Amino acid sequence: MNETRETRIKRMKMRSTRRGIKEMDLILSAYADRNLQKMDAVGLANYDALLQENDQDLYQWVTGQTLPPEQFVDLVADISKTFQK
């Protein structure tokens, strides 16, 4: 799919807001609003990949209950900081 940066960010913001569980809606929508515009292409690709993960797993990663896969360690740490603010 060939989408513009603007379209991609809009899609990811929508996906961040409409998750399976309300906690992840709140956490990811806050993170997306604060950070997606500043991300480079690699950061956007990593966040897009994270959005494909299961909400229960994401919640456990963000809250520190379990460790995320290596690919997402830095991103999850950054999301956790946003969540704690």
Short mmCIF file of all heavy atoms in Angstrom, two decimals, residues 6-74:
data_model
loop_
_atom_site.label_atom_id
_atom_site.label_comp_id
_atom_site.label_asym_id
_atom_site.label_seq_id
_atom_site.Cartn_x
_atom_site.Cartn_y
_atom_site.Cartn_z
N GLU A 6 1.28 11.57 6.03
CA GLU A 6 0.12 12.11 6.74
C GLU A 6 -0.98 11.06 6.90
O GLU A 6 -1.55 10.89 7.98
CB GLU A 6 -0.43 13.32 5.99
CG GLU A 6 -1.63 13.96 6.66
CD GLU A 6 -2.15 15.16 5.88
OE1 GLU A 6 -1.32 15.99 5.45
OE2 GLU A 6 -3.37 15.24 5.71
N THR A 7 -1.26 10.33 5.84
CA THR A 7 -2.29 9.29 5.88
C THR A 7 -1.87 8.16 6.82
O THR A 7 -2.69 7.65 7.60
CB THR A 7 -2.55 8.72 4.47
OG1 THR A 7 -2.97 9.79 3.63
CG2 THR A 7 -3.60 7.63 4.48
N ARG A 8 -0.60 7.81 6.78
CA ARG A 8 -0.10 6.75 7.65
C ARG A 8 -0.26 7.15 9.12
O ARG A 8 -0.70 6.35 9.95
CB ARG A 8 1.36 6.48 7.33
CG ARG A 8 1.94 5.34 8.10
CD ARG A 8 3.38 5.09 7.69
NE ARG A 8 3.80 3.80 8.19
CZ ARG A 8 5.04 3.37 8.13
NH1 ARG A 8 5.97 4.10 7.56
NH2 ARG A 8 5.36 2.19 8.61
N ILE A 9 0.10 8.38 9.45
CA ILE A 9 -0.02 8.84 10.83
C ILE A 9 -1.48 8.87 11.26
O ILE A 9 -1.81 8.44 12.38
CB ILE A 9 0.67 10.22 11.00
CG1 ILE A 9 2.20 10.03 10.91
CG2 ILE A 9 0.27 10.88 12.31
CD1 ILE A 9 2.99 11.31 10.88
N LYS A 10 -2.36 9.33 10.39
CA LYS A 10 -3.79 9.33 10.73
C LYS A 10 -4.29 7.91 11.00
O LYS A 10 -5.05 7.68 11.95
CB LYS A 10 -4.61 9.96 9.60
CG LYS A 10 -4.52 11.46 9.55
CD LYS A 10 -5.37 12.00 8.43
CE LYS A 10 -5.24 13.50 8.32
NZ LYS A 10 -6.06 14.03 7.21
N ARG A 11 -3.87 6.97 10.15
CA ARG A 11 -4.29 5.57 10.32
C ARG A 11 -3.77 5.02 11.65
O ARG A 11 -4.51 4.38 12.41
CB ARG A 11 -3.76 4.72 9.17
CG ARG A 11 -4.07 3.23 9.33
CD ARG A 11 -3.56 2.39 8.18
NE ARG A 11 -2.15 2.55 7.89
CZ ARG A 11 -1.15 1.99 8.59
NH1 ARG A 11 -1.42 1.24 9.65
NH2 ARG A 11 0.11 2.16 8.23
N MET A 12 -2.52 5.31 11.97
CA MET A 12 -1.96 4.80 13.22
C MET A 12 -2.58 5.47 14.44
O MET A 12 -2.78 4.81 15.47
CB MET A 12 -0.44 4.95 13.22
CG MET A 12 0.23 3.98 12.26
SD MET A 12 2.01 3.86 12.47
CE MET A 12 2.53 5.41 11.79
N LYS A 13 -2.93 6.74 14.34
CA LYS A 13 -3.63 7.40 15.45
C LYS A 13 -4.99 6.74 15.68
O LYS A 13 -5.39 6.50 16.82
CB LYS A 13 -3.79 8.89 15.19
CG LYS A 13 -2.55 9.69 15.48
CD LYS A 13 -2.82 11.17 15.34
CE LYS A 13 -1.61 11.98 15.72
NZ LYS A 13 -1.88 13.42 15.71
N MET A 14 -5.69 6.46 14.60
CA MET A 14 -7.00 5.80 14.71
C MET A 14 -6.84 4.42 15.33
O MET A 14 -7.59 4.03 16.24
CB MET A 14 -7.67 5.70 13.35
CG MET A 14 -9.03 5.03 13.39
SD MET A 14 -10.26 5.96 14.31
CE MET A 14 -10.51 7.32 13.21
N ARG A 15 -5.83 3.68 14.88
CA ARG A 15 -5.60 2.33 15.40
C ARG A 15 -5.16 2.39 16.86
O ARG A 15 -5.44 1.48 17.64
CB ARG A 15 -4.55 1.62 14.54
CG ARG A 15 -4.29 0.20 14.93
CD ARG A 15 -5.52 -0.69 14.69
NE ARG A 15 -5.23 -2.03 15.12
CZ ARG A 15 -5.84 -2.65 16.14
NH1 ARG A 15 -6.81 -2.06 16.79
NH2 ARG A 15 -5.50 -3.86 16.48
N SER A 16 -4.48 3.45 17.25
CA SER A 16 -4.06 3.62 18.64
C SER A 16 -5.25 3.89 19.55
O SER A 16 -5.24 3.54 20.73
CB SER A 16 -3.07 4.80 18.76
OG SER A 16 -1.90 4.53 18.03
N THR A 17 -6.27 4.54 19.00
CA THR A 17 -7.45 4.92 19.77
C THR A 17 -8.48 3.81 19.85
O THR A 17 -9.20 3.70 20.84
CB THR A 17 -8.10 6.16 19.12
OG1 THR A 17 -7.11 7.19 19.07
CG2 THR A 17 -9.29 6.65 19.91
N ARG A 18 -8.54 3.00 18.84
CA ARG A 18 -9.57 1.94 18.78
C ARG A 18 -8.94 0.58 18.95
O ARG A 18 -8.76 -0.17 18.00
CB ARG A 18 -10.31 2.03 17.45
CG ARG A 18 -10.95 3.39 17.29
CD ARG A 18 -12.32 3.30 16.75
NE ARG A 18 -12.95 4.60 16.86
CZ ARG A 18 -13.50 5.21 15.85
NH1 ARG A 18 -13.51 4.66 14.66
NH2 ARG A 18 -14.08 6.38 16.03
N ARG A 19 -8.59 0.27 20.17
CA ARG A 19 -7.95 -0.99 20.51
C ARG A 19 -9.01 -1.96 21.04
O ARG A 19 -10.20 -1.65 21.05
CB ARG A 19 -6.88 -0.76 21.58
CG ARG A 19 -5.80 0.22 21.21
CD ARG A 19 -4.95 -0.20 20.05
NE ARG A 19 -4.36 -1.51 20.30
CZ ARG A 19 -3.62 -2.15 19.40
NH1 ARG A 19 -3.39 -1.63 18.24
NH2 ARG A 19 -3.13 -3.33 19.67
N GLY A 20 -8.57 -3.08 21.56
CA GLY A 20 -9.50 -4.05 22.11
C GLY A 20 -9.87 -3.79 23.55
O GLY A 20 -10.95 -4.15 24.00
N ILE A 21 -8.97 -3.13 24.28
CA ILE A 21 -9.26 -2.83 25.68
C ILE A 21 -9.05 -1.33 25.93
O ILE A 21 -8.18 -0.70 25.34
CB ILE A 21 -8.42 -3.69 26.66
CG1 ILE A 21 -6.91 -3.48 26.46
CG2 ILE A 21 -8.78 -5.16 26.56
CD1 ILE A 21 -6.05 -4.19 27.47
N LYS A 22 -9.87 -0.79 26.78
CA LYS A 22 -9.90 0.66 27.03
C LYS A 22 -8.56 1.19 27.54
O LYS A 22 -8.14 2.29 27.17
CB LYS A 22 -11.02 0.99 28.02
CG LYS A 22 -11.26 2.45 28.19
CD LYS A 22 -11.74 3.08 26.89
CE LYS A 22 -12.14 4.52 27.09
NZ LYS A 22 -12.45 5.17 25.83
N GLU A 23 -7.89 0.43 28.39
CA GLU A 23 -6.60 0.87 28.92
C GLU A 23 -5.61 1.15 27.79
O GLU A 23 -4.89 2.15 27.82
CB GLU A 23 -6.01 -0.18 29.88
CG GLU A 23 -6.78 -0.35 31.16
CD GLU A 23 -7.97 -1.30 31.05
OE1 GLU A 23 -8.27 -1.79 29.95
OE2 GLU A 23 -8.61 -1.55 32.09
N MET A 24 -5.59 0.27 26.80
CA MET A 24 -4.65 0.47 25.69
C MET A 24 -5.11 1.62 24.80
O MET A 24 -4.27 2.32 24.23
CB MET A 24 -4.47 -0.82 24.89
CG MET A 24 -3.70 -1.89 25.65
SD MET A 24 -2.18 -1.33 26.49
CE MET A 24 -1.22 -0.67 25.16
N ASP A 25 -6.42 1.84 24.67
CA ASP A 25 -6.91 3.03 23.96
C ASP A 25 -6.30 4.29 24.57
O ASP A 25 -5.78 5.15 23.86
CB ASP A 25 -8.43 3.17 24.07
CG ASP A 25 -9.23 2.12 23.34
OD1 ASP A 25 -8.64 1.34 22.57
OD2 ASP A 25 -10.46 2.09 23.56
N LEU A 26 -6.38 4.39 25.89
CA LEU A 26 -5.90 5.57 26.59
C LEU A 26 -4.38 5.72 26.49
O LEU A 26 -3.87 6.81 26.22
CB LEU A 26 -6.33 5.52 28.06
CG LEU A 26 -7.84 5.53 28.30
CD1 LEU A 26 -8.14 5.26 29.76
CD2 LEU A 26 -8.45 6.84 27.85
N ILE A 27 -3.68 4.65 26.71
CA ILE A 27 -2.22 4.68 26.70
C ILE A 27 -1.68 5.01 25.30
O ILE A 27 -0.86 5.92 25.13
CB ILE A 27 -1.64 3.35 27.21
CG1 ILE A 27 -1.97 3.16 28.70
CG2 ILE A 27 -0.13 3.27 26.98
CD1 ILE A 27 -1.73 1.75 29.22
N LEU A 28 -2.14 4.25 24.31
CA LEU A 28 -1.59 4.43 22.97
C LEU A 28 -2.07 5.70 22.29
O LEU A 28 -1.31 6.31 21.53
CB LEU A 28 -1.89 3.20 22.10
CG LEU A 28 -1.17 1.92 22.52
CD1 LEU A 28 -1.55 0.77 21.59
CD2 LEU A 28 0.34 2.10 22.57
N SER A 29 -3.29 6.12 22.56
CA SER A 29 -3.75 7.37 21.93
C SER A 29 -2.97 8.56 22.47
O SER A 29 -2.60 9.46 21.71
CB SER A 29 -5.25 7.56 22.11
OG SER A 29 -5.59 7.73 23.46
N ALA A 30 -2.67 8.57 23.77
CA ALA A 30 -1.85 9.64 24.35
C ALA A 30 -0.45 9.63 23.74
O ALA A 30 0.09 10.68 23.38
CB ALA A 30 -1.78 9.50 25.86
N TYR A 31 0.12 8.46 23.61
CA TYR A 31 1.45 8.35 23.03
C TYR A 31 1.45 8.81 21.57
O TYR A 31 2.32 9.58 21.16
CB TYR A 31 1.98 6.92 23.14
CG TYR A 31 3.37 6.79 22.60
CD1 TYR A 31 4.46 7.17 23.36
CD2 TYR A 31 3.60 6.34 21.31
CE1 TYR A 31 5.74 7.10 22.87
CE2 TYR A 31 4.88 6.25 20.80
CZ TYR A 31 5.95 6.64 21.59
OH TYR A 31 7.22 6.57 21.09
N ALA A 32 0.49 8.35 20.81
CA ALA A 32 0.42 8.71 19.39
C ALA A 32 0.26 10.21 19.21
O ALA A 32 0.94 10.82 18.37
CB ALA A 32 -0.74 7.96 18.72
N ASP A 33 -0.60 10.82 19.99
CA ASP A 33 -0.81 12.27 19.89
C ASP A 33 0.46 13.05 20.16
O ASP A 33 0.72 14.06 19.52
CB ASP A 33 -1.91 12.73 20.85
CG ASP A 33 -3.30 12.32 20.40
OD1 ASP A 33 -3.48 11.97 19.21
OD2 ASP A 33 -4.22 12.34 21.24
N ARG A 34 1.26 12.58 21.09
CA ARG A 34 2.47 13.30 21.49
C ARG A 34 3.68 13.02 20.60
O ARG A 34 4.60 13.83 20.55
CB ARG A 34 2.85 12.95 22.92
CG ARG A 34 1.88 13.48 23.94
CD ARG A 34 2.31 13.11 25.34
NE ARG A 34 1.30 13.55 26.29
CZ ARG A 34 1.12 13.04 27.48
NH1 ARG A 34 1.88 12.05 27.89
NH2 ARG A 34 0.19 13.51 28.28
N ASN A 35 3.69 11.87 19.92
CA ASN A 35 4.95 11.45 19.31
C ASN A 35 4.96 11.13 17.82
O ASN A 35 6.03 11.22 17.20
CB ASN A 35 5.47 10.22 20.06
CG ASN A 35 5.83 10.55 21.49
OD1 ASN A 35 6.84 11.19 21.74
ND2 ASN A 35 4.97 10.15 22.42
N LEU A 36 3.86 10.74 17.23
CA LEU A 36 3.92 10.27 15.85
C LEU A 36 4.44 11.31 14.87
O LEU A 36 5.21 10.97 13.97
CB LEU A 36 2.56 9.73 15.39
CG LEU A 36 2.09 8.44 16.05
CD1 LEU A 36 0.79 7.96 15.41
CD2 LEU A 36 3.14 7.36 15.98
N GLN A 37 4.05 12.55 15.02
CA GLN A 37 4.50 13.59 14.09
C GLN A 37 6.01 13.76 14.11
O GLN A 37 6.61 14.15 13.10
CB GLN A 37 3.81 14.93 14.39
CG GLN A 37 2.36 15.00 14.03
CD GLN A 37 2.12 14.93 12.52
OE1 GLN A 37 2.99 15.23 11.70
NE2 GLN A 37 0.92 14.52 12.15
N LYS A 38 6.65 13.49 15.23
CA LYS A 38 8.10 13.67 15.38
C LYS A 38 8.91 12.47 14.91
O LYS A 38 10.12 12.57 14.78
CB LYS A 38 8.45 13.96 16.85
CG LYS A 38 7.79 15.20 17.41
CD LYS A 38 8.21 15.42 18.85
CE LYS A 38 7.36 14.59 19.78
NZ LYS A 38 7.59 14.83 21.20
N MET A 39 8.26 11.33 14.70
CA MET A 39 8.98 10.10 14.37
C MET A 39 9.48 10.10 12.93
O MET A 39 8.82 10.62 12.03
CB MET A 39 8.08 8.88 14.57
CG MET A 39 7.84 8.51 15.98
SD MET A 39 6.86 6.98 16.02
CE MET A 39 6.76 6.72 17.76
N ASP A 40 10.64 9.46 12.74
CA ASP A 40 11.14 9.25 11.39
C ASP A 40 10.48 7.98 10.81
O ASP A 40 9.67 7.33 11.49
CB ASP A 40 12.66 9.15 11.38
CG ASP A 40 13.21 7.97 12.19
OD1 ASP A 40 12.44 7.07 12.58
OD2 ASP A 40 14.43 7.97 12.43
N ALA A 41 10.85 7.64 9.59
CA ALA A 41 10.22 6.49 8.91
C ALA A 41 10.45 5.19 9.66
O ALA A 41 9.55 4.34 9.75
CB ALA A 41 10.75 6.38 7.48
N VAL A 42 11.64 5.01 10.22
CA VAL A 42 11.94 3.78 10.96
C VAL A 42 11.09 3.71 12.24
O VAL A 42 10.54 2.66 12.57
CB VAL A 42 13.45 3.70 11.30
CG1 VAL A 42 13.74 2.53 12.22
CG2 VAL A 42 14.27 3.60 10.02
N GLY A 43 10.98 4.82 12.95
CA GLY A 43 10.15 4.86 14.14
C GLY A 43 8.69 4.57 13.84
O GLY A 43 8.03 3.84 14.58
N LEU A 44 8.20 5.16 12.75
CA LEU A 44 6.81 4.91 12.36
C LEU A 44 6.59 3.43 12.01
O LEU A 44 5.57 2.85 12.39
CB LEU A 44 6.41 5.79 11.19
CG LEU A 44 6.24 7.28 11.50
CD1 LEU A 44 5.98 8.06 10.21
CD2 LEU A 44 5.13 7.53 12.50
N ALA A 45 7.55 2.85 11.32
CA ALA A 45 7.43 1.43 10.94
C ALA A 45 7.41 0.54 12.19
O ALA A 45 6.62 -0.41 12.27
CB ALA A 45 8.58 1.03 10.02
N ASN A 46 8.24 0.87 13.17
CA ASN A 46 8.28 0.08 14.41
C ASN A 46 6.98 0.23 15.19
O ASN A 46 6.43 -0.74 15.71
CB ASN A 46 9.49 0.49 15.25
CG ASN A 46 9.84 -0.53 16.30
OD1 ASN A 46 9.67 -1.72 16.12
ND2 ASN A 46 10.34 -0.05 17.43
N TYR A 47 6.46 1.46 15.27
CA TYR A 47 5.19 1.68 15.96
C TYR A 47 4.05 0.97 15.23
O TYR A 47 3.18 0.36 15.86
CB TYR A 47 4.89 3.18 16.08
CG TYR A 47 3.69 3.48 16.93
CD1 TYR A 47 3.74 3.37 18.31
CD2 TYR A 47 2.48 3.84 16.36
CE1 TYR A 47 2.63 3.62 19.10
CE2 TYR A 47 1.36 4.11 17.13
CZ TYR A 47 1.44 3.98 18.50
OH TYR A 47 0.34 4.23 19.27
N ASP A 48 4.07 1.01 13.91
CA ASP A 48 3.06 0.32 13.11
C ASP A 48 3.09 -1.18 13.40
O ASP A 48 2.05 -1.82 13.55
CB ASP A 48 3.30 0.59 11.63
CG ASP A 48 2.04 0.52 10.79
OD1 ASP A 48 0.94 0.31 11.33
OD2 ASP A 48 2.16 0.72 9.56
N ALA A 49 4.29 -1.74 13.50
CA ALA A 49 4.43 -3.16 13.83
C ALA A 49 3.90 -3.45 15.24
O ALA A 49 3.22 -4.46 15.47
CB ALA A 49 5.89 -3.60 13.71
N LEU A 50 4.17 -2.55 16.17
CA LEU A 50 3.68 -2.71 17.54
C LEU A 50 2.15 -2.75 17.58
O LEU A 50 1.55 -3.51 18.33
CB LEU A 50 4.19 -1.58 18.44
CG LEU A 50 3.78 -1.66 19.90
CD1 LEU A 50 4.71 -2.61 20.66
CD2 LEU A 50 3.79 -0.30 20.54
N LEU A 51 1.52 -1.94 16.74
CA LEU A 51 0.06 -1.89 16.71
C LEU A 51 -0.57 -3.21 16.27
O LEU A 51 -1.75 -3.44 16.50
CB LEU A 51 -0.42 -0.76 15.79
CG LEU A 51 -0.16 0.65 16.27
CD1 LEU A 51 -0.60 1.66 15.22
CD2 LEU A 51 -0.85 0.93 17.59
N GLN A 52 0.22 -4.08 15.66
CA GLN A 52 -0.29 -5.38 15.23
C GLN A 52 -0.31 -6.40 16.37
O GLN A 52 -0.89 -7.48 16.24
CB GLN A 52 0.56 -5.92 14.07
CG GLN A 52 0.66 -5.00 12.88
CD GLN A 52 -0.69 -4.58 12.34
OE1 GLN A 52 -1.58 -5.40 12.14
NE2 GLN A 52 -0.85 -3.29 12.11
N GLU A 53 0.32 -6.05 17.48
CA GLU A 53 0.41 -6.98 18.61
C GLU A 53 -0.90 -7.02 19.40
O GLU A 53 -1.69 -6.09 19.37
CB GLU A 53 1.57 -6.58 19.53
CG GLU A 53 2.93 -6.64 18.87
CD GLU A 53 3.36 -8.06 18.52
OE1 GLU A 53 3.00 -9.00 19.26
OE2 GLU A 53 4.08 -8.21 17.52
N ASN A 54 -1.05 -8.09 20.14
CA ASN A 54 -2.22 -8.33 20.97
C ASN A 54 -2.28 -7.34 22.14
O ASN A 54 -1.27 -7.08 22.78
CB ASN A 54 -2.10 -9.77 21.49
CG ASN A 54 -3.22 -10.19 22.38
OD1 ASN A 54 -3.40 -9.64 23.46
ND2 ASN A 54 -3.97 -11.17 21.93
N ASP A 55 -3.45 -6.79 22.42
CA ASP A 55 -3.61 -5.81 23.49
C ASP A 55 -3.21 -6.34 24.87
O ASP A 55 -2.63 -5.60 25.67
CB ASP A 55 -5.05 -5.31 23.57
CG ASP A 55 -5.29 -4.12 22.66
OD1 ASP A 55 -4.34 -3.65 22.02
OD2 ASP A 55 -6.44 -3.66 22.60
N GLN A 56 -3.53 -7.57 25.16
CA GLN A 56 -3.17 -8.12 26.47
C GLN A 56 -1.65 -8.16 26.63
O GLN A 56 -1.12 -7.83 27.69
CB GLN A 56 -3.78 -9.52 26.67
CG GLN A 56 -5.27 -9.50 26.94
CD GLN A 56 -6.11 -9.25 25.68
OE1 GLN A 56 -5.64 -9.41 24.56
NE2 GLN A 56 -7.35 -8.83 25.87
N ASP A 57 -0.94 -8.54 25.56
CA ASP A 57 0.52 -8.54 25.60
C ASP A 57 1.05 -7.12 25.74
O ASP A 57 1.93 -6.85 26.56
CB ASP A 57 1.10 -9.17 24.34
CG ASP A 57 0.81 -10.66 24.24
OD1 ASP A 57 0.56 -11.31 25.27
OD2 ASP A 57 0.85 -11.18 23.10
N LEU A 58 0.51 -6.20 24.94
CA LEU A 58 0.94 -4.80 25.00
C LEU A 58 0.77 -4.23 26.40
O LEU A 58 1.66 -3.56 26.92
CB LEU A 58 0.14 -3.95 24.01
CG LEU A 58 0.50 -4.07 22.54
CD1 LEU A 58 -0.52 -3.32 21.70
CD2 LEU A 58 1.89 -3.54 22.29
N TYR A 59 -0.36 -4.49 27.00
CA TYR A 59 -0.63 -3.97 28.34
C TYR A 59 0.40 -4.51 29.34
O TYR A 59 0.91 -3.76 30.16
CB TYR A 59 -2.05 -4.31 28.78
CG TYR A 59 -2.40 -3.67 30.10
CD1 TYR A 59 -2.69 -2.31 30.16
CD2 TYR A 59 -2.42 -4.41 31.27
CE1 TYR A 59 -3.00 -1.71 31.38
CE2 TYR A 59 -2.73 -3.82 32.48
CZ TYR A 59 -3.01 -2.47 32.53
OH TYR A 59 -3.30 -1.87 33.73
N GLN A 60 0.70 -5.79 29.26
CA GLN A 60 1.69 -6.37 30.17
C GLN A 60 3.07 -5.78 29.93
O GLN A 60 3.82 -5.54 30.88
CB GLN A 60 1.71 -7.88 30.03
CG GLN A 60 0.48 -8.53 30.61
CD GLN A 60 0.51 -10.03 30.54
OE1 GLN A 60 1.31 -10.62 29.81
NE2 GLN A 60 -0.36 -10.67 31.30
N TRP A 61 3.42 -5.52 28.68
CA TRP A 61 4.72 -4.92 28.38
C TRP A 61 4.80 -3.49 28.92
O TRP A 61 5.77 -3.12 29.57
CB TRP A 61 4.98 -4.88 26.88
CG TRP A 61 4.99 -6.21 26.20
CD1 TRP A 61 5.15 -7.44 26.78
CD2 TRP A 61 4.82 -6.45 24.80
NE1 TRP A 61 5.09 -8.42 25.81
CE2 TRP A 61 4.88 -7.85 24.60
CE3 TRP A 61 4.60 -5.63 23.71
CZ2 TRP A 61 4.77 -8.42 23.34
CZ3 TRP A 61 4.48 -6.20 22.45
CH2 TRP A 61 4.56 -7.59 22.27
N VAL A 62 3.77 -2.70 28.65
CA VAL A 62 3.78 -1.28 29.04
C VAL A 62 3.77 -1.12 30.55
O VAL A 62 4.39 -0.19 31.09
CB VAL A 62 2.59 -0.54 28.38
CG1 VAL A 62 2.41 0.86 28.95
CG2 VAL A 62 2.78 -0.46 26.87
N THR A 63 3.10 -2.00 31.24
CA THR A 63 3.02 -1.89 32.70
C THR A 63 4.15 -2.64 33.40
O THR A 63 4.19 -2.66 34.63
CB THR A 63 1.66 -2.42 33.21
OG1 THR A 63 1.50 -3.79 32.79
CG2 THR A 63 0.51 -1.57 32.70
N GLY A 64 5.06 -3.23 32.65
CA GLY A 64 6.22 -3.88 33.22
C GLY A 64 5.98 -5.26 33.80
O GLY A 64 6.83 -5.79 34.50
N GLN A 65 4.84 -5.85 33.48
CA GLN A 65 4.54 -7.20 33.99
C GLN A 65 5.37 -8.26 33.29
O GLN A 65 5.73 -9.27 33.90
CB GLN A 65 3.05 -7.50 33.84
CG GLN A 65 2.18 -6.58 34.67
CD GLN A 65 0.71 -6.84 34.41
OE1 GLN A 65 0.27 -7.98 34.30
NE2 GLN A 65 -0.07 -5.77 34.31
N THR A 66 5.64 -8.06 32.00
CA THR A 66 6.49 -8.96 31.23
C THR A 66 7.37 -8.13 30.31
O THR A 66 7.07 -6.96 30.03
CB THR A 66 5.67 -9.95 30.37
OG1 THR A 66 4.85 -9.22 29.45
CG2 THR A 66 4.79 -10.86 31.21
N LEU A 67 8.44 -8.73 29.83
CA LEU A 67 9.34 -8.03 28.93
C LEU A 67 8.84 -8.12 27.48
O LEU A 67 8.38 -9.19 27.05
CB LEU A 67 10.74 -8.64 29.00
CG LEU A 67 11.47 -8.47 30.33
CD1 LEU A 67 12.79 -9.23 30.31
CD2 LEU A 67 11.70 -7.00 30.61
N PRO A 68 8.94 -7.03 26.75
CA PRO A 68 8.54 -7.06 25.34
C PRO A 68 9.62 -7.73 24.49
O PRO A 68 10.76 -7.88 24.94
CB PRO A 68 8.43 -5.58 24.98
CG PRO A 68 9.39 -4.90 25.88
CD PRO A 68 9.37 -5.69 27.16
N PRO A 69 9.27 -8.13 23.28
CA PRO A 69 10.29 -8.64 22.36
C PRO A 69 11.37 -7.57 22.13
O PRO A 69 11.09 -6.37 22.21
CB PRO A 69 9.52 -8.91 21.07
CG PRO A 69 8.09 -9.03 21.49
CD PRO A 69 7.95 -8.15 22.69
N GLU A 70 12.57 -7.99 21.84
CA GLU A 70 13.71 -7.09 21.66
C GLU A 70 13.40 -5.93 20.71
O GLU A 70 13.80 -4.80 20.95
CB GLU A 70 14.92 -7.87 21.15
CG GLU A 70 16.19 -7.05 21.04
CD GLU A 70 16.68 -6.53 22.39
OE1 GLU A 70 16.51 -7.20 23.41
OE2 GLU A 70 17.25 -5.42 22.39
N GLN A 71 12.67 -6.22 19.63
CA GLN A 71 12.32 -5.20 18.63
C GLN A 71 11.60 -4.00 19.25
O GLN A 71 11.73 -2.88 18.79
CB GLN A 71 11.44 -5.83 17.55
CG GLN A 71 10.86 -4.85 16.58
CD GLN A 71 9.83 -5.50 15.65
OE1 GLN A 71 9.55 -6.69 15.74
NE2 GLN A 71 9.27 -4.71 14.76
N PHE A 72 10.83 -4.24 20.32
CA PHE A 72 9.98 -3.21 20.89
C PHE A 72 10.47 -2.65 22.24
O PHE A 72 9.79 -1.82 22.83
CB PHE A 72 8.56 -3.74 21.07
CG PHE A 72 7.91 -4.19 19.80
CD1 PHE A 72 7.37 -5.46 19.69
CD2 PHE A 72 7.83 -3.35 18.70
CE1 PHE A 72 6.76 -5.88 18.53
CE2 PHE A 72 7.21 -3.76 17.53
CZ PHE A 72 6.68 -5.03 17.43
N VAL A 73 11.61 -3.08 22.73
CA VAL A 73 12.06 -2.69 24.07
C VAL A 73 12.11 -1.17 24.24
O VAL A 73 11.53 -0.62 25.18
CB VAL A 73 13.43 -3.33 24.40
CG1 VAL A 73 14.04 -2.71 25.65
CG2 VAL A 73 13.28 -4.83 24.58
N ASP A 74 12.78 -0.47 23.34
CA ASP A 74 12.91 0.98 23.48
C ASP A 74 11.58 1.69 23.30
O ASP A 74 11.27 2.63 24.03
CB ASP A 74 13.94 1.53 22.47
CG ASP A 74 15.35 1.07 22.78
OD1 ASP A 74 15.64 0.72 23.95
OD2 ASP A 74 16.18 1.04 21.85
#
